[in-house]
Amino acid sequence: MRHNKKINHLGRQASHRKALMSNMASSLILHKRIETTVAKAKALKKFVEPLITKSKEDTTHQRRVVFSYLKDKYATAELFRTVAPKIADRPGGYTRILHTGFRVGDAAEMCIIELVDFNETYVEGVAPKAAAPKTRRSRSKKAAEDAEVVAEGAEAPKAEKKAAKKPAAPKAPKNTAAKTSGAKVAAVKTGASKKA
C-alpha cells in the first residue's frame, strides 16, 4: 500500500528522477517555457518554485544552494540575473501550467509549463493582438461579433476607395452613333405619324 506517499516517482529511480528534475528546471529557467507531460510539470513545479524563491536573495550561499540542485552554472546565472529581478515583488506562484491536449503516441496528457512573468500576453498593460477566428464557425457570439467588427473595419476603407474612383457622370456607351441614328429614325417615324 502507498498511503501518505505523496511524491510522484514518475516511473524512475531516485537518481534518475533527480537528474530529470534538474535538467527540466534548467531548461525552464533558460527558455522560460517548456512542453512536457502534466505529471512531470506538477513535479517540476514543486521542484523549481523553492529555487526561484531562494534566488530573491542574491548571496553566495544561495547561489551555491541553487547550483547544487540545478547543476548548471548558466541556468543558475540566468536565474539570479534575469528571473529574480522580475519576480522580486511576487509572493509565490512563479509558474503556470497550460494544458495542451494529448500526445499522439501514448495519449499522455501534455501541457506547457512557463514562468508567469515572462509571458507577454498575460502581462498587464499589454493588449494582445486580435486574431481572426481559425474556423468558419464561431465558438461564441462574442467571437462572431468581434469578427464582424474587424470585417467591417476592413471593408469600410475599400468602399471609400471605390467611391473615390467612380466618376460623377456615367460613361456613354461605345456604339453611340448607331444608337443615336436609330433614335432619330424612330423620332422621324413618330413625327410623321403625328402629322398624319
Side-chain angles (χ1 to χ4, degrees):
M1 297 220 172
R2 53 166 304 281
H3 296 306
N4 295 327
K5 304 204 180 301
K6 296 186 177 180
I7 184 171
N8 188 349
H9 295 290
L10 301 172
R12 291 162 172 82
Q13 299 294 326
S15 59
H16 188 183
R17 192 167 51 252
K18 286 177 188 174
L20 173 75
M21 288 295 114
S22 65
N23 286 335
M24 288 178 66
S26 297
S27 296
L28 178 64
I29 291 165
L30 290 173
H31 302 291
K32 313 300 185 272
R33 167 188 292 192
I34 58 173
E35 184 177 6
T36 184
T37 62
V38 173
K40 287 179 190 173
K42 287 179 178 178
L44 178 62
K45 187 171 186 143
K46 287 182 181 178
F47 181 84
V48 80
E49 292 211 357
L51 299 180
I52 296 174
T53 302
K54 285 177 178 33
S55 72
K56 288 182 177 182
E57 184 184 347
D58 191 4
T59 61
T60 306
H61 176 67
Q62 294 296 350
R63 281 180 179 260
R64 286 177 178 164
V65 169
V66 170
F67 179 75
S68 71
Y69 285 95
L70 294 179
K71 298 180 177 50
D72 184 0
K73 64 181 181 180
Y74 300 109
T76 305
E78 179 76 11
L79 178 62
F80 279 90
R81 288 182 191 155
T82 308
V83 178
K86 270 204 161 185
I87 54 97
D89 298 332
R90 188 176 288 276
Y94 310 112
T95 57
R96 175 188 296 125
I97 295 175
L98 302 168
H99 295 257
T100 57
F102 297 91
R103 190 159 53 194
V104 175
D106 59 353
E109 192 174 359
M110 300 298 288
C111 69
I112 292 171
I113 182 168
E114 64 183 5
L115 295 176
V116 171
D117 292 307
F118 288 89
N119 189 337
E120 287 78 22
T121 57
Y122 286 100
V123 176
E124 293 179 18
V126 178
K129 295 179 181 177
K134 293 182 181 178
T135 60
R136 288 186 214 163
R137 297 177 184 169
S138 63
R139 304 255 186 240
S140 66
K141 291 180 181 179
K142 186 177 180 183
E145 292 171 3
D146 292 341
E148 289 175 8
V149 170
V150 170
E152 289 174 3
E155 291 175 3
K158 290 179 183 177
E160 291 173 5
K161 287 180 183 176
K162 286 181 181 178
K165 288 182 180 179
K166 289 184 180 178
K171 293 183 180 179
K174 292 181 180 178
N175 195 0
T176 57
K179 288 185 179 179
T180 54
S181 63
K184 288 180 183 177
V185 170
V188 170
K189 286 181 181 177
T190 57
S193 63
K194 284 181 183 177
K195 289 179 182 176

